Amino acid sequence: MLDPVMFTGGVYKHDLVTELIEDLGGYVLQKNVAQSEVILLMLVPHEDMLVLEDLTKELRGKLERAPLTGTEIAVVTPTLAIHHLPHPACDVAEYLRRHGAKSNMIGMARGVARDIAQMDEYETALINEHDAVVFTFGNFADCILKKEHLYRNLSVPVIVTGGPEMKKEDLPYAFEYVPNVGRIAHRSRKATEIGSLDNIVAAVGRALDSVRSQISKDPLTTTPPRAMEVVREQVPDIMQSYSPLPIALNLDGLRIKLPYDEYHDAVAGVTFDEGVTLGEIAKVLPSRMKNYILVRILPMSETGFMV
């Protein structure tokens, strides 16, 4: 298994960290440089973590686990109307990005009113393409309780946020409930508000770790980061994508931001060093998001081998 970690340290000699990660068979997913500081989001083999920790101490850096690294999180608001899209929704999406996730905000077409709110098949399928989902509700407990049918049939972990204090047992279809995140008309700046955002990140991290635990029981035929590297090498048009993140990682695959009709054969034909193609070990599907390409890597129990 690959552990998601974040390295924070000086720019000086940070290339030693990237070289070590490559030697260990890990992956550097993102590098952010701000003046004299660098932040690296990485996936590192679990058994080699001690080696990385020793190098981090030598460089006087900081290494911490970042469970949101290499994942896509959906942030869902009932509608895009002003009374359903308060500032916390934007704050949640941005805070998830700061901790390594790729977040996508989704406004429901029929989320108005607790008695008639509903989710259609398209919205359900789109949310299920993510690794987890955060529902941002309002300040009324009764409204939150009566909208559980919106996420009841989702197959990804659901984090529900709202204003009132509620017990997790009151929301049996949610993975966790995070209180004190209701509708407010300003950005989150106070310590208590930032603390609530930290609680959301922690809850999403626990949800993602539960998915990782399930995957570890029946490992994928290959890791999503390796599939990403092979696609980058053999489908050069991906570098012409206008998206700031042409390939988004998921826990069980990839979202490749190229038109499905034009490129799905090229993606399925990508060949690994072992001689197998991506189409043989994964499902290459049309995404519900802008007709992108969705790759879902098959578990070893279905293919009988690993690459």
Side-chain angles (χ1 to χ4, degrees):
M1 287 294 294
L2 298 173
D3 284 345
V5 295
M6 179 171 62
F7 169 85
T8 305
V11 174
Y12 179 65
K13 287 189 176 183
H14 80 275
D15 55 320
L16 295 178
V17 177
T18 60
E19 292 174 1
L20 176 63
I21 296 303
E22 294 173 357
D23 293 340
L24 295 176
Y27 302 90
V28 178
L29 302 182
Q30 187 174 341
K31 180 172 76 171
N32 297 322
V33 179
Q35 296 183 349
S36 61
E37 185 179 73
V38 63
I39 298 175
L40 300 175
L41 294 175
M42 308 172 292
L43 295 175
V44 185
H46 178 73
E47 60 273 13
D48 297 319
M49 281 297 299
L50 290 178
V51 180
L52 179 60
E53 290 174 358
D54 291 340
L55 178 60
T56 301
K57 292 178 181 178
E58 181 180 338
L59 297 178
R60 301 294 191 272
K62 179 181 178 182
L63 190 68
E64 56 184 325
R65 197 169 187 276
L68 274 60
T69 299
T71 63
E72 265 193 310
I73 311 299
V75 179
V76 179
T77 62
T79 68
L80 293 179
I82 189 171
H83 60 286
H84 275 146
L85 188 63
H87 284 92
C90 301
D91 290 333
V92 169
E94 176 61 25
Y95 214 70
L96 292 173
R97 293 190 192 103
R98 292 185 184 183
H99 287 77
K102 170 67 173 68
S103 61
N104 299 312
M105 188 173 291
I106 300 173
M108 297 176 57
R110 302 171 180 84
V112 179
R114 60 188 177 186
D115 293 326
I116 62 174
Q118 58 181 299
M119 181 182 293
D120 61 19
E121 183 273 338
Y122 171 83
E123 292 170 332
T124 300
L126 178 59
I127 294 174
N128 281 335
E129 291 182 4
H130 295 75
D131 296 299
V133 56
V134 178
F135 276 82
T136 57
F137 290 137
N139 296 333
F140 302 103
D142 185 63
C143 182
I144 296 174
L145 291 173
K146 290 189 176 181
K147 283 192 173 181
E148 66 175 7
H149 64 280
L150 295 178
Y151 53 84
R152 180 181 302 167
N153 297 320
L154 294 175
S155 61
V156 297
V158 177
I159 309 300
V160 176
T161 70
E165 293 284 348
M166 298 175 61
K167 296 180 180 179
K168 166 61 180 67
E169 293 75 17
D170 297 332
L171 303 168
Y173 298 100
F175 182 85
E176 285 194 30
Y177 173 75
V178 180
N180 303 318
V181 190
R183 297 178 190 168
I184 57 175
H186 59 270
R187 299 299 300 270
S188 299
R189 297 186 181 90
K190 300 178 181 178
T192 54
E193 295 167 346
I194 299 300
S196 297
L197 295 178
D198 288 330
N199 292 336
I200 294 175
V201 170
V204 173
R206 289 189 288 270
L208 295 174
D209 283 340
S210 71
V211 176
R212 291 188 178 98
S213 177
Q214 295 174 9
I215 293 176
S216 66
K217 297 176 183 178
D218 187 7
L220 302 177
T221 303
T222 191
T223 61
R226 187 184 179 193
M228 177 182 66
E229 293 295 329
V230 177
V231 170
R232 280 179 176 172
E233 293 174 0
Q234 301 184 28
V235 186
D237 285 359
I238 189 64
M239 304 311 297
Q240 305 302 320
S241 173
Y242 292 112
S243 172
L245 189 64
I247 301 179
L249 281 178
N250 299 137
L251 292 180
D252 60 349
L254 314 167
R255 188 193 306 280
I256 302 172
K257 297 177 181 179
L258 289 173
Y260 176 83
D261 296 336
E262 297 180 37
Y263 289 95
H264 74 277
D265 288 334
V267 170
V270 164
T271 305
F272 292 82
D273 294 337
E274 291 80 358
V276 300
T277 64
L278 185 59
E280 293 174 331
I281 63 172
K283 296 179 180 178
V284 181
L285 310 166
S287 171
R288 296 302 182 99
M289 182 184 295
K290 297 183 180 179
N291 197 34
Y292 289 146
I293 301 172
L294 196 66
V295 176
R296 287 293 175 254
I297 301 173
L298 299 173
M300 188 176 63
S301 60
E302 294 190 32
T303 61
F305 59 92
M306 293 186 67
V307 296

